[in-house]
Amino acid sequence: MTVYTDESAARALIVRTARSLFTRGLTHGSTGNLSVRLSDGSLLLTPTGSSLGTVEEADLSRTDPDGTHLDGLRPTKEAFLHAAFYRVRPGAHAVVHLHSTHAAAVSCLDGVDPADVLPPLTAYYAMRVGRLPLLPYHAPGDSALEPLAGRTARSHHAVLLANHGPVVAGASLEQAADAMEELEETAKLYLLLRGHTTRPLTPGQAAALAPPSP
């Protein structure tokens, strides 16, 4: 577990991670948002309308644990999602939400299992993500999603928002970003393999690799 006691270092880490995700095509335009939970319980988030490719340390927002704006630029309109994850996952110290292309594509498919959208095609997906529930569509920024997200986050550190994109919590920002990338790559594999007979991990194999709860 990483406890972020140095706000300046946490700001630098958020910007560094944002740049990495953006330059490698995991997010685009002004989509996606990142946060970390500081040791005093406040949240440091990317601001609304910002691009992860250009956001600066001074631009970041700070809110209280419930997502109420304290200082900095206005926080992402999805700050309530981050707050919901932190509220029910005491070991989580970072949340990543992206609109990554392949995961977003899967979120638009009809007929997927809402209890577990992606099969465990690889060991690393089973280790870093595990089960991935699909939450029903809500417009971006619709706080009506908050109670459902909170209930689901009690037992899942990653969710997929219908017609939107994934949200992943982790014990550190590096861990959350790694799990997000694994989720995106597995979504890509899933789409590439549609129409083919696949051989995912068995339930026992996947359970043996299930990630610890942050």
Side-chain angles (χ1 to χ4, degrees):
M1 182 193 306
T2 299
V3 178
Y4 294 105
T5 56
D6 184 335
E7 182 176 336
S8 178
R11 287 175 179 269
L13 176 62
I14 289 175
V15 169
R16 188 164 65 247
T17 305
R19 292 281 193 282
S20 175
L21 294 170
F22 186 89
T23 57
R24 290 180 296 116
L26 286 156
T27 190
H28 56 277
S30 59
T31 65
N33 34 80
L34 314 179
S35 71
V36 301
R37 173 160 48 186
L38 300 174
S39 57
D40 66 0
S42 64
L43 311 182
L44 200 58
L45 309 99
T46 51
T48 189
S50 66
S51 167
L52 297 189
T54 59
V55 68
E56 300 288 351
E57 293 177 33
D59 298 336
L60 299 181
S61 308
R62 196 167 62 88
T63 74
D64 71 10
D66 294 321
T68 301
H69 189 198
L70 296 175
D71 56 56
L73 297 181
R74 190 157 57 94
T76 169
K77 60 180 171 289
E78 288 157 335
F80 67 89
L81 271 178
H82 295 249
F85 271 77
Y86 291 126
R87 194 174 300 122
V88 301
R89 301 191 72 84
H93 289 274
V95 173
V96 176
H97 167 47
L98 299 180
H99 300 179
S100 50
T101 301
H102 298 92
V106 170
S107 81
C108 300
L109 292 177
D110 191 22
V112 296
D113 180 1
D116 193 13
V117 186
L118 289 173
L121 294 173
T122 69
Y124 284 96
Y125 178 80
M127 283 191 287
R128 292 178 178 164
V129 180
R131 297 178 64 84
L132 182 69
L134 178 72
L135 302 190
Y137 174 76
H138 289 71
D142 182 354
S143 61
L145 179 59
E146 183 172 2
L148 175 59
R151 288 194 301 272
T152 307
R154 290 182 187 277
S155 52
H156 299 84
H157 76 286
V159 302
L160 186 60
L161 309 180
N163 303 86
H164 191 158
V167 184
V168 178
S172 67
L173 187 54
E174 294 92 341
Q175 186 184 93
D178 281 349
M180 179 64 81
E181 291 191 59
E182 200 65 47
L183 192 161
E184 171 64 8
E185 288 303 307
T186 301
K188 183 177 181 180
L189 285 175
Y190 177 73
L191 294 170
L192 285 169
L193 292 168
R194 277 174 72 83
H196 296 272
T197 302
T198 60
R199 189 183 62 255
L201 274 63
T202 67
Q205 289 169 333
L209 297 170
S213 177

